[in-house]
Amino acid sequence: VVANDFPAGSPTFYVPQAIDKTLFDRPWPNPYDTPRNVISIGDMLFDASSVSMMAKNFPDWTFHLFGKGAKLPQELPNVRQYGERPYNEIVPYLKHADIGIAPYSNAQKETDYLSQSSLKLVQYTYCALPIVTPQFAASHRDHAFGYTPGVESTIVYAFEKAMQCDRNGIDRSSVQDWTQMIDTMLEKVGL
């Protein structure tokens, strides 16, 4: 999608985001004190309205929001807001969550590139989490269930589909570590 921003005929290559797999592969203790946990990391284009709809429709799930701007306008009993935290502190929450959400708002500008460039989607995939996200960010992933921001019926449907997802069937093979990413970049430029 981003390649469309370059002049026609320009050599372009897609190199996906990478993660530190060794950090994720550690045996982190479970930080949750409730069953059924949903995680949201980051606050880029954070859509508080859609998250509120999820939390209100699924009161037996606990929503954990990480990010300075990841806040709801009103407190809900099943939503915990952590603000900005050191990344190592967030990894155990990622590993032990049940569902990951990427609640992007419907921005004025084109946002389709998020389906390929969102680091949180890569992290959720490596942790084998079903993903609930707007339709434009759900493409390219069988375990991502899309909704229309602000449309409650679609949000509920996507969340219910994520609840039914078989996490054992989530393909993590496309997730690269930093060494693999650098090797891919060097290969693409002929080094």
Side-chain angles (χ1 to χ4, degrees):
V1 176
V2 176
N4 296 334
D5 293 338
F6 292 91
S10 296
T12 57
F13 306 100
Y14 170 65
V15 179
Q17 292 268 21
I19 64 168
D20 180 356
K21 289 183 180 180
T22 59
L23 182 65
F24 281 84
D25 292 342
R26 291 183 193 165
W28 295 97
N30 188 339
Y32 295 118
D33 59 4
T34 59
R36 299 185 202 97
N37 293 286
V38 178
I39 188 166
S40 174
I41 55 174
D43 57 11
M44 179 185 169
L45 301 173
F46 184 78
D47 180 8
S49 173
S50 292
V51 175
S52 295
M53 289 179 195
M54 286 180 218
K56 288 175 183 175
N57 278 282
F58 299 95
D60 55 338
W61 286 76
T62 305
F63 291 75
H64 303 267
L65 311 179
F66 290 91
K68 184 178 180 182
K71 299 177 182 174
L72 301 186
Q74 69 178 59
E75 287 189 27
L76 295 172
N78 61 330
V79 177
R80 298 180 186 175
Q81 300 172 138
Y82 298 83
E84 203 73 33
R85 294 293 172 97
Y87 191 71
N88 285 5
E89 188 178 317
I90 299 171
V91 172
Y93 287 89
L94 280 161
K95 282 194 65 166
H96 292 283
D98 299 293
I99 293 175
I101 59 174
Y104 297 117
S105 63
N106 243 349
Q108 296 295 327
K109 59 185 178 180
E110 193 174 319
T111 51
D112 290 344
Y113 73 95
L114 290 170
S115 67
Q116 295 176 335
S117 68
S118 172
L119 182 56
K120 74 177 80 179
L121 297 180
V122 173
Q123 294 165 340
Y124 294 163
T125 298
Y126 193 69
C127 293
L129 298 179
I131 301 169
V132 179
T133 190
Q135 204 68 40
F136 63 78
S139 62
H140 311 299
R141 289 179 175 82
D142 292 338
H143 61 288
F145 304 96
Y147 63 85
T148 303
V151 180
E152 192 165 11
S153 61
T154 67
I155 291 167
V156 169
Y157 180 77
F159 198 91
E160 287 174 343
K161 295 297 280 183
M163 289 169 46
Q164 298 164 10
C165 180
D166 176 10
R167 293 181 63 182
N168 294 318
I170 294 175
D171 180 10
R172 306 175 343 145
S173 65
S174 65
V175 179
Q176 299 185 67
D177 64 24
W178 289 106
T179 303
Q180 292 170 307
M181 186 193 80
I182 296 299
D183 289 345
T184 301
M185 289 175 66
L186 292 174
E187 177 188 314
K188 296 292 185 187
V189 296
L191 295 177

